[in-house]
Amino acid sequence: MAGGSFVDSGNTKQFDGKVTVFVLVTCFVAAMGGLLFGYDLGITGGVTSMEPFLVKFFPSVYKQMKDESSHESQYCKFDNELLTLFTSSLYLAALVASFFASTTTRMLGRKTSMFLGGLFFLVGALLNGFAVNVEMLIIGRLLLGFGVGYCNQSVPVYLSEMAPAKIRGALNMGFQMMITIGILAANLINYGTSKLENGWRISLGLGAVPAVMLCVGSLFLGDTPNSLIERGQREGAKKMLQKIRGVENVDEEFQDLIDACEASKKVEHPWKNITSPKYKPQVTFCSLIPFFQQLTGINVIMFYAPVLFKTLGFGDEASLISAVISGGVNVVATLVSIVSVDKFGRRILFLEGGVQMFLSQMAVGAMIAWKFGVSGEGSFTKGEANLLLFFICTYVAAFAWSWGPLGWLVPSEICSLEVRSAGQAINVAVNMLFTFFIAQVFLAMLCHLKFGLFFFFAGFVVVMTIFIALFLPETKNVPIEEMSKVWKSHWFWTKVVPDENTDNGRKAVQES
């Protein structure tokens, strides 16, 4: 790619410091916010495939599923608006919550937002576990959504601000790692509780466990130096910076943080400011990365996995086991990303992941088209089912080391302090809006597009991979407050971003 798609990190400052046990433990505790989102993603699909749950809350879906005299297509078995509302209502609430969380994160600190996120999720999980009607279920889901919105807004920002630049990618990906662990744990719990009459109550109620872990853990966390400076606590901020960097001499980095804070104080309205020309790259990536992340189709696999496998002719137990297998692949592949992101960079993972996802989705769509056709009547042999599961796992692996973790990492690391909360709010809001949209329409899309749904998502993977190849500069090893220099080194963004944007108004970096 001509013209500077790759940025030489030598153009940016490298600050003194080492990787301390304190910062590793702190980031581990904060990353537990991802457990909430992951647990819900994994638990919901399993619960909505449990017959006692469907009998109690969605009897029409259960009747349709069991009615052998019906000529309903396999593709349309679970197409029910109320059932999809149960799943998708959480993401609508998270969208709304992200805007409140933006203000909370900026004014009260990152750890306060994490605590509130855990508290909302705790109450929501208990309501769902003890639900006696659909209304109670939906209210619980909305509270879970507020918890997810607060955590997804604050945790990636917290991790990016606490981590040293050289391992920021790996530590920030701890959030995605916890999401994948949450999904796997939920799949295993669903497998165990599916044999119990009221197992769905246990599955939903156990969401309180990661919520309590986050609430308690956040009480012992320190806030980030950036947040402390933002709220006028400079002495505490310097001590925290010395603690997380493991060295006494942090004057240069501390001054950079103060300069960024002073620049941010001149901004009275972050939401108005982020629309100015110098923030076009940030707005573009904070909007399009989460948009594209959802149009990979991953959440179709994650929160509808058991339903999807059941639709494709897997038995009850086989569908849950298949979801556990894909969840395990998700965890292992995320570890690959953590190890490689700061060594090979963000771009190569995005691009390789895009190619692999495209090929896997085309294979899945072709297999379903071959066996089910347009009529939706057919079944897989055991060997064919295993091959289908293999292709789904290669797809999940590709997502887990590319668009999964990088979809949270890149937007959280590219925004300067004055617009960081607003930028992350946009990221979370767009993510939740399209998660809601996909969750709400997926079963209907499966019913109408049939096997073509997988080709639909594969087409978007092609578009997003080309977008990354052309427009995303490399951001590995760039200190977070030096990120503005990256845009002036890129072939496209240097034409868009005013010179004054570099280094908070100081000398611009010459175009590479």
Side-chain angles (χ1 to χ4, degrees), residues 16 22 162 223-258:
D16 292 335
F22 174 78
M162 290 294 272
D223 225 328
T224 70
N226 313 62
S227 180
L228 291 169
I229 292 171
E230 197 172 28
R231 291 178 287 136
Q233 301 175 36
R234 292 193 178 186
E235 188 175 336
K238 188 168 186 178
K239 288 180 180 177
M240 178 57 71
L241 190 60
Q242 290 170 333
K243 195 171 185 180
I244 62 178
R245 297 295 179 256
V247 294
E248 288 298 314
N249 183 17
V250 293
D251 293 344
E252 189 178 7
E253 184 176 4
F254 186 64
Q255 187 58 49
D256 248 39
L257 296 180
I258 290 175

Side-chain angles (χ1 to χ4, degrees), residues 125-136:
L126 293 176
L127 277 176
N128 274 183
F130 291 104
V132 293
N133 52 45
V134 173
E135 291 77 12
M136 197 168 169

